[in-house]
Amino acid sequence: MDTVTQVALGASVGEAVLGRRIGRRALLWGGLCGLLPDLDLLVPLSDAVDRFTWHRGPSHSLFVLAAATPLMTRLILAIHPATRAHRLRWMALVFLAFATHVLLDCFTVYGTQIFWPLPTPPVVWSSIFIIDPAYSLPLLAGVLAALVLHRTPRGHRLNAIGLALSCLYLLWSVGAKLHVEGAVRASLARQGIAHEALLTTPTAFNTLLWRVLIVDGEGYAEGYYSLLDGQGEIRMAHHPGNRGLLRGLEDHRPVRRLVWFTHGFYAVKREAGGIWITDLRMGMEPDYTFRFRVAADAEPHPIPEPGRRGRSPRDFRLLAWIWQRIWSDQPAYGVTS
C-alpha cells in the first residue's frame, strides 16, 4: 500500500496497543515502525530489475521482522526509559506494526516476500488496489482523533473504530474477489476460453470494477468485470505474448527474476532495438507501470544486458473510463465500437 496508509496503519496499531498508557508516543512509534519496511526503496542497486524485485523482499520478511523486533524495542526503551514497565507491550506494538504492514501489502498485486529467505514466490492476494480511499480514510480519521484526544477513552475508541472499519473493508475486498473469480471462471468455461493461469485484481481506487487477466500458450487476454454487471459474458481481448523472443535468454538473471516475480504474468516485445519484458499485473492494456529492457535485439540471438526500466507516459483518461465502466458496460479503453 501507499506510504501514508502504512504510516497510518502503524500509528493506529500503536494507539490500540499502548496509547492509553503512554499517549502520543504510541502513535509516533507505531507510525515509524509502519514506515520502516518500505525503506528498502533507498537501497542503491544498479540493476533496475534487482531494485524492482528487491522491494518487499528481506525488509518484508516475517522472519527478519521478528528478529528485528527486540532490537527496535531496545532502542525505544533507551529513548523512553520511563516506559520500561511496558516492555512487553512495546514488543507487541513493534511486531504488530511491522507485521500488519507486510500483510497489508500481500493484499495488493505487487508481490510480498514474507517468507524470505525461503525461495517461495512473492505472496499476491490482489484484493485491493495499492491506493484505496475506502481503506485509508477510516484509518486516518481514527489516528487523527487519537492524536487530538490523546489519552482519552473517546480518542482511543474512535481509533479502534477506524481500525475496525478498515479491517472490515479488507474482508469485503476478499469476499468481492471470491465472487468475481467465481463469475469469471464460469464465464470463461461457457465461452470455451482455455487458460493456463488467471489473475483478478481491482482497478484503481475501488473494489467494484475488477480487471481479469489470463495467460495461455499463445499470449494473454484482458477483460473487465463490475460487481454491478448483469449476466452477460465477460469480453476478453487477446494479445500476443511473444515469449519466443526470450529464446537463449532463459538463464539471464533479469529474465529469471522477472519470470519468477510476476508469477508468469508477463509479455515480451521487440522495440527500439531491444527485448522488453512487461509485468502484466500492474496497469491496463496498453498502459503498464513496469517494463524492462533485458537484451539488445541481434541475430542469431539477442545479447543479454543489465535490466533497464522503461518509462511509459501515464494516460489518466483511463480513470474516467474506469468510473464509467463501474456503472455500465463499455468497450475496452480505446475501442470505439
Side-chain angles (χ1 to χ4, degrees):
M1 294 293 283
D2 63 281
T3 300
V4 172
T5 299
Q6 291 289 14
V7 171
L9 176 59
S12 182
V13 169
E15 169 66 22
V17 173
L18 205 48
R20 282 182 172 174
R21 292 168 174 80
I22 65 171
R24 291 172 176 157
R25 287 171 293 185
L27 287 164
L28 172 65
W29 284 103
L32 179 61
C33 290
L35 171 67
L36 285 177
D38 277 347
L39 295 185
D40 61 354
L41 288 168
L42 303 179
V43 176
L45 299 174
S46 59
D47 186 282
V49 172
D50 282 343
R51 287 197 301 273
F52 175 59
T53 57
W54 175 267
H55 179 44
R56 299 195 187 178
S59 71
H60 285 59
S61 165
L62 290 173
F63 304 130
V64 172
L65 294 174
T69 294
L71 301 177
M72 190 69 186
T73 303
R74 179 177 294 185
L75 171 64
I76 292 172
L77 292 177
I79 296 173
H80 305 294
T83 66
R84 288 186 179 276
H86 304 300
R87 182 176 181 275
L88 290 180
R89 283 189 173 269
W90 273 120
M91 291 270 287
L93 183 155
V94 171
F95 181 72
L96 287 174
F98 284 159
T100 52
H101 175 122
V102 302
L103 292 175
L104 178 58
D105 278 346
C106 290
F107 283 90
T108 69
V109 77
Y110 188 96
T112 309
Q113 300 169 56
I114 60 173
F115 300 119
W116 187 93
L118 300 179
T120 55
V123 175
V124 176
W125 295 332
S126 66
S127 72
I128 192 170
F129 191 68
I130 192 171
I131 301 174
D132 193 325
Y135 177 83
S136 303
L137 289 178
L139 273 180
L140 291 167
V143 168
L144 181 61
L147 189 64
V148 174
L149 304 171
H150 70 291
R151 290 200 182 187
T152 67
R154 186 182 180 193
H156 192 74
R157 184 167 59 252
L158 289 173
N159 176 74
I161 291 172
L163 184 58
L165 288 175
S166 291
C167 291
L168 287 173
Y169 183 72
L170 270 186
L171 288 176
W172 150 262
S173 75
V174 173
K177 181 180 177 68
L178 292 174
H179 168 75
V180 169
E181 290 210 348
V184 168
R185 292 184 187 278
S187 178
L188 295 178
R190 287 193 300 267
Q191 297 180 72
I193 300 177
H195 56 279
E196 298 171 359
L198 166 68
L199 176 70
T200 59
T201 187
T203 55
F205 314 132
N206 77 99
T207 51
L208 294 176
L209 179 64
W210 291 71
R211 179 171 177 254
V212 180
L213 181 66
I214 61 172
V215 173
D216 58 31
E218 298 181 355
Y220 63 98
E222 179 190 63
Y224 293 89
Y225 178 82
S226 170
L227 295 182
L228 305 180
D229 282 351
Q231 300 299 315
E233 303 294 4
I234 299 171
R235 296 193 301 268
M236 303 296 295
H238 198 274
H239 306 275
N242 300 317
R243 298 190 177 190
L245 295 174
L246 294 179
R247 192 169 293 112
L249 296 171
E250 294 87 354
D251 293 327
H252 185 32
R253 175 177 168 78
V255 172
R256 286 191 290 107
R257 288 290 290 179
L258 288 171
V259 171
W260 170 77
F261 193 77
T262 62
H263 289 256
F265 289 98
Y266 68 92
V268 188
K269 285 187 178 181
R270 176 185 285 118
E271 184 179 303
I275 303 298
W276 296 78
I277 295 180
T278 297
D279 185 337
L280 298 172
R281 301 171 304 156
M282 286 168 276
M284 299 166 58
E285 189 70 31
D287 190 9
Y288 290 102
T289 306
F290 295 103
R291 53 195 300 268
F292 300 89
R293 176 168 166 151
V294 296
D297 190 17
E299 294 294 343
H301 301 292
I303 301 171
E305 295 179 343
R308 175 162 60 87
R309 184 178 172 185
R311 298 291 177 180
S312 300
R314 311 307 299 168
D315 187 351
F316 293 103
R317 291 174 297 178
L318 283 167
L319 297 178
W321 181 87
I322 288 172
W323 177 253
Q324 295 168 1
R325 179 61 184 84
I326 290 173
W327 309 106
S328 63
D329 198 3
Q330 300 281 332
Y333 182 72
V335 177
T336 57
S337 61

